Amino acid sequence: MVELKLGTDLLARARAALPGGVSSPVRAFGAVEGDPPFVVRGQGASLFDAQGREHIDLVCSWGPLILGHAHPAVLDAVQRALRDGLTFGATCAAEVELAERVLKRYPFAERVRFTSSGTEATMGALRLARGATGRDRVVKFDGCYHGHFDALLVKGGSGLATFGTPSSAGVPQATTAMTDVLPLDDEHAARALFAQKGSEIALVVIEPMPANAGLLLQRQAFLETLSELCSEHGALLMFDEVISGFRVAPGGMTERSGITPDLVAVGKILGGGMPVGAFLGPAQLMEQLAPNGPVYHAGTLSGNPVAMAAGMATLDTLEQPGTYERLEQLGAHLQRGWEAALVASGTPGSVARMGSVLWLCLQEGETPRAFHRIEAAGAERYGQMHARLLEQRVWMAPSAYEVAFVYTAHDEAQLDRAAAALAQALSAP
Ligand code: PMP
């Protein structure tokens, strides 16, 4: 079959040209059975592979595509923007407009600095926090991922956990000597660290909805404790909302929790599928960035006009009445379907969910809230199940530590098919 040859050839060529055949490691199917199919097209909630097969997509490009693939409003906006050119190297009107839309959704903040990725957003924000406080120490949480830069590439969840690497080679110890890692869901450990080093801590960074090591939903009281500890000790608090921003509410977890952090990092949905990140906060803090302040941060393609257009169209479409309610309904529908599949197949497990973000947790007992409570056996079960799901054209992340997303483009019938496929995949001997 000609198409099959195309797929096979592409995989061999990819592996010869790209390390591991990929540009980002978890895509490589290292922790699941089989080879990754090549995607040639996305439409709505479907992905089409090089062999012409249609898959129900629950990966959502790992978070950015909340409206579905090739959404007409986003494509129109991009097409209109690109007629005027791809990049100007000067501030453009779209940048101002997108920043205003972001500030409307995050009213605690007064300034936005755009970047080209989530990694750059958290990296810039950490430098700003250190510059503003005159302190060096940063606190992160085991299982939370904040991008692939040195200072925060410690115990970072999925990409690292999938391959059993606690951290990365090539990160000098001196770089992470100022990074402390705490367990999630543990006020006692946070208090103990602050008692010891509170006056040295520049920043506490957390995914307020940790979604890079399964979905480790945190208690409100835990997030509040962090906020209080930071205030007491003069440290800054950053919510990394690269996944939760614009997804779990227009103002993400900041809105849902009612807690006011000092900084927020966003990305993914903000670019509607184009490479965009941003960090935001009050003027007094953000104006310490260059050119007004001493903290340097820059980017050749930051605030790119085409990417800004994709982000605006995405946020505007999300703002239409009933959109978040619909995402909640669809998320709840898939959760019920998955729970029924677990019961029907007699598989120990549970489903964690917040809005349109779901995690299938294949272990007994309560759904964990901390990384060290995730059992390795679940990952093995997931690896086998993943291949069977793919055979039934259900596209889930090739890692037990990744969450699934639903789109506004999904419908109940597709989600029922995805749940039925799961029941079958889990029942197979
Ligand atoms: N923070 C969080 C919470 C993320 O999930 C990610 C990416 N998955 C990042 C930061 C880094 O974003 P990017 O991959 O765009 O650099």
Side-chain angles (χ1 to χ4, degrees):
M1 210 163 113
V2 178
E3 291 91 341
L4 193 64
K5 190 164 176 300
L6 172 70
T8 314
D9 279 349
L10 268 178
L11 189 60
R13 282 167 53 200
R15 287 181 175 154
L18 310 165
V22 293
S23 299
S24 194
V26 184
R27 297 177 193 171
F29 276 41
V32 296
E33 293 172 4
D35 289 330
F38 274 83
V39 176
V40 293
R41 191 166 72 85
Q43 184 64 57
S46 296
L47 284 174
F48 296 84
D49 68 23
Q51 281 121 64
R53 297 175 301 199
E54 179 175 357
H55 302 256
I56 299 173
D57 179 26
L58 295 173
V59 177
C60 194
S61 188
W62 309 81
L65 292 183
I66 192 162
L67 304 174
H69 295 274
H71 189 278
V74 181
L75 291 192
D76 280 355
V78 166
Q79 273 156 2
R80 266 184 278 121
L82 55 80
R83 273 185 230 130
D84 293 330
L86 298 182
T87 172
F88 310 140
T91 304
C92 64
E95 224 169 318
V96 181
E97 286 196 20
L98 185 57
E100 287 170 353
R101 280 167 169 77
V102 172
L103 294 174
K104 202 174 110 200
R105 287 158 177 80
Y106 284 89
F108 87 95
E110 294 164 306
R111 303 281 188 277
V112 180
R113 173 56 64 88
F114 285 113
T115 64
S116 299
S117 68
T119 299
E120 288 172 73
T122 55
M123 186 168 67
L126 173 57
R127 184 176 304 137
L128 174 60
R130 285 173 161 164
T133 57
R135 301 173 177 185
D136 289 341
R137 212 162 264 291
V138 58
V139 179
K140 76 175 290 289
F141 293 85
D142 189 4
C144 286
Y145 179 66
H146 304 293
H148 55 83
F149 71 104
D150 288 5
L152 296 184
L153 199 56
V154 189
K155 300 200 171 181
S158 171
L160 304 158
T162 303
F163 301 107
T165 329
S167 190
S168 169
V171 177
Q173 256 195 332
T175 319
T176 52
M178 286 295 140
T179 306
D180 289 298
V181 182
L182 284 175
L184 286 162
D185 189 42
D186 187 344
E187 284 91 337
H188 181 73
R191 285 209 182 89
L193 180 72
F194 266 93
Q196 211 194 342
K197 301 179 183 168
S199 63
E200 300 167 45
I201 297 171
L203 182 72
V204 172
V205 54
I206 186 167
E207 288 178 74
M209 180 196 76
N212 276 288
L215 184 63
L216 302 172
L217 296 175
Q218 296 302 289
R219 290 170 292 109
Q220 171 79 9
F222 177 65
L223 297 177
E224 278 168 10
T225 301
L226 297 181
S227 171
E228 285 158 19
L229 284 170
C230 285
S231 306
E232 272 167 42
H233 293 266
L236 302 179
L237 176 66
M238 175 158 79
F239 278 177
D240 179 346
E241 295 227 52
V242 168
I243 289 184
S244 56
F246 315 109
R247 177 173 285 281
V248 299
M253 277 299 290
T254 304
E255 177 183 327
R256 270 182 94 129
S257 70
I259 296 169
T260 306
D262 300 285
L263 289 164
V264 165
V266 285
K268 300 203 188 242
I269 289 173
L270 178 65
M274 301 286 284
V276 182
F279 56 106
L280 39 136
Q284 141 273 342
L285 195 54
M286 295 295 290
E287 290 291 348
Q288 299 196 39
L289 286 171
N292 286 358
V295 181
Y296 196 70
H297 172 266
T300 302
L301 294 176
S302 297
N304 174 271
V306 183
M308 299 289 106
M312 271 193 284
T314 301
L315 295 194
D316 288 354
T317 307
L318 277 174
E319 200 162 63
Q320 285 169 7
T323 307
Y324 285 94
E325 289 78 0
R326 180 70 185 141
L327 284 165
E328 174 65 33
Q329 271 172 7
L330 289 167
H333 192 86
L334 184 59
Q335 178 176 10
R336 282 193 297 273
W338 276 2
E339 284 167 349
L342 288 170
V343 172
S345 62
T347 310
S350 59
V351 181
R353 182 178 71 88
M354 182 172 286
S356 55
V357 188
L358 296 96
W359 180 45
L360 182 67
C361 175
L362 296 178
Q363 68 185 47
E364 266 180 88
E366 245 181 71
T367 319
R369 294 182 190 278
F371 185 66
H372 61 272
R373 300 204 183 284
I374 302 179
E375 292 165 14
E380 206 173 301
R381 246 173 257 137
Y382 187 97
Q384 298 153 356
M385 176 209 81
H386 183 270
R388 296 180 192 134
L389 273 179
L390 202 57
E391 279 165 20
Q392 298 180 72
R393 316 279 182 264
V394 176
W395 189 278
M396 279 183 56
S399 161
Y401 297 95
E402 294 289 340
V403 292
F405 297 100
V406 292
Y407 296 111
T408 57
H410 278 116
D411 60 31
E412 276 82 357
Q414 284 168 317
L415 298 179
D416 286 343
R417 268 199 285 135
L422 179 67
Q424 248 190 358
L426 288 173
S427 302

